[in-house]
Amino acid sequence: MTAAQKSRHAALLKATGFEDGPALTVQSTDGDIPHGRELSFTWLTGTVMTGLTSVLLMGAALYVSFQGQDTFSTAYEALQLSRPKAAEAFPTDLSAKTSRTRPVAATRSDQEVIEASIRETVDGRDMIRNQPFVRIRATLATAATSLSEGIPEYDPVAILQATQPMSVASDAIDINTDVYGAEVEGEVAVKLAAIPLTFVPPRAISDQSAAQFVRGVTESDTAIVGATAPTLAYAALGPAVRDLGLSNDSNLIGGVAENVTVLPKTTQASEAGLGRSERFLTLRDDTNLPELLSKNGFTANQSKLVMDALRNVLPTQELPARTRLRILYGPLTREATSLVPYRMSLYEPRADDSYQHDATVALTDTGQYVLGIEPDFIEFPEEDTEEINVANLPTVYRSIWETGRKHDLDDATIERIIGMFAYDVDMNKKIAPGDGIEILETAPDADNHSELLYVGLTLGATSRQFYRFGTDDGVVDFYDADGETGKRFLTRRPLEGGGTLRSRFGYRIHPIFHTRKLHTGIDLAARSGTPIYAAGDGVIKYYKWQSGYGNKVEIQHVNGYETAYGHMSRYVDGLSVGSRVRQGQIIGYVGSTGQSTGPHLHFEILINGNLVDPLSVKLPKDNVLAQQYKARFNQTIAQINDLMARDPAPVSVAQAN
């Protein structure tokens, strides 16, 4: 820069207000007027210390106020369902933004006691007495909670054991569903007698004349031929009983058609992690709150924490009828397989049919339930409903377990129910909103034991029912309306746990050769060493290495059926060609021998030498009711259908909302 440029630059700075001044200094200006250019370390040190002291004091105050907690609950807004107000559309998946409407399904959970007059023969006399039954009508659970935690892994062989016919001891009292045509009170002995041949009934019988006739019969020793004592006459149970229904143009008793409501099946699926869903309940009876919590996914410890939080808010644990509950569920972690209750709100009914908010409890990050503020307003539906997050829908297997435990069914009963349908239903498939189940049991005895009488399962637009029936040899099993059990003589997934379906039957691009080839079976992936079972009774016809299949076993079954098992890691000792095996017997272990990209079972079914799809081929039944029992079985169907159609008794069992 030249001298002229420096002069011009200095002139510009001066014109804009800048001027030369003394440099910054740390020297003291004691005695002089300060010019604002001196630095004071004393002042700087005091300012810093004041700030640090303030931070420490504020931190200590916050620590004391939160009682030493170092983590705090999620902000309340994060627990809210991001929904429009009032009657606008429900939100979509809470875990991600989307424009698709979230499905809402009506939930039904009726557990009722029904009573019927049952006829039985005791010491040669016909006795009529009232007998209670327990009826369950419920939609399958659409979200897995703590109720279904700890259930056994899905295992087709275990299901085989659970579906074996039951043997009833000869001295045991058989289950009686012989419904009498009239209602009686207490216990009544019945004696049948012939009407006198001289009696001619008039065309129209008035109540007065009927009463006179009955009085005359019961008070006369000679009114009925052969009578030696007053007799009370009852009409015999005949084919005209109104409650059982009649088929047209026939005197045979027919079944009563069931009233089944089918909701549209949702086919949408999601591979995303679990999301949040909300349940809306209205109590129909006075209910104990801890029991209600246990039936809606609260563990025993969570129920205790909720009751502790509500101790100063609710005067009693008994909730009156018409109380409303709103429960929000969500996963604790991304890897969670079940939901936990995030928030629960109680609404108390008023005399004018309105409701007031009683209390809300919410889950904190430390696993505690604390009182919270009322969530956003929403109009409660007339019927119980639950918002469905498609990512939360459980498999058929887990949903039946969840629903069964919610209604206090014991594990053995739930396993038998699953076994009835396991041969026709893919238990690893997710349910759809609206799928439901119906169950009829005997009332619990002194040991709290009940006997299963009937099960009906509705999946999508398909319904199937099974009825309990005992044959003369003392064997009890469950049959559909055609007299067939749900058991097949071949299983479709013959390995422990059922495996994971990796490749279906049909043409595909071969994973090794990358050419389009027919895949002659299905591939069920599982860990190496997983036991492989015989799909049915038969004789081993091939038991050695085969190119492509690796270690392979072929079994010949009856009626032209064959099964093949490939890629085994090893065989079971003691078996060879010609060995007879039974269904469920271990024949080898999963491996990756031959042309395989990973451990799995390649399973094939052949009929008369032709390959078929193991998952879709129609397989014959293993057990069909003999023709000689058809008449009795049809009568049993009519009696059970009558019980399922009856109105519940005035007093119901524990509420299962």
Side-chain angles (χ1 to χ4, degrees), residues 195 199-214:
I195 296 178
F199 173 74
V200 179
R203 286 181 176 273
I205 302 176
S206 64
D207 292 343
Q208 183 178 3
S209 60
Q212 290 176 351
F213 173 76
V214 173

Side-chain angles (χ1 to χ4, degrees), residues 451-505:
E451 290 289 343
L452 189 64
L453 300 177
Y454 161 84
V455 180
L457 184 66
T458 298
L459 298 175
T462 303
S463 296
R464 194 168 187 199
Q465 297 81 29
F466 285 97
Y467 302 82
R468 177 190 177 110
F469 185 76
T471 52
D472 294 338
D473 56 0
V475 175
V476 175
D477 210 339
F478 288 83
Y479 303 87
D480 62 16
D482 297 325
E484 300 177 345
T485 65
K487 183 179 178 183
R488 305 283 180 174
F489 95 106
L490 291 179
T491 58
R492 302 178 190 271
R493 290 174 175 254
L495 77 164
E496 185 178 272
T500 301
L501 181 63
R502 294 301 188 196
S503 185
R504 294 181 176 271
F505 178 89

Side-chain angles (χ1 to χ4, degrees), residues 148 251 398 467 481 524 626:
S148 56
N251 289 328
R398 182 158 186 179
Y467 302 82
L524 300 173

Side-chain angles (χ1 to χ4, degrees), residues 107 279-283 292 296 322-327 329 380-381 383-385 406 657:
T107 59
R279 186 176 298 174
F280 301 89
L281 305 174
T282 301
L283 303 185
L292 179 64
N296 284 277
R322 296 177 51 237
T323 298
R324 288 175 169 175
L325 288 89
R326 183 178 173 185
I327 308 175
Y329 297 89
F380 263 74
E383 299 292 337
D384 294 345
T385 62
K406 180 178 180 179
N657 278 313

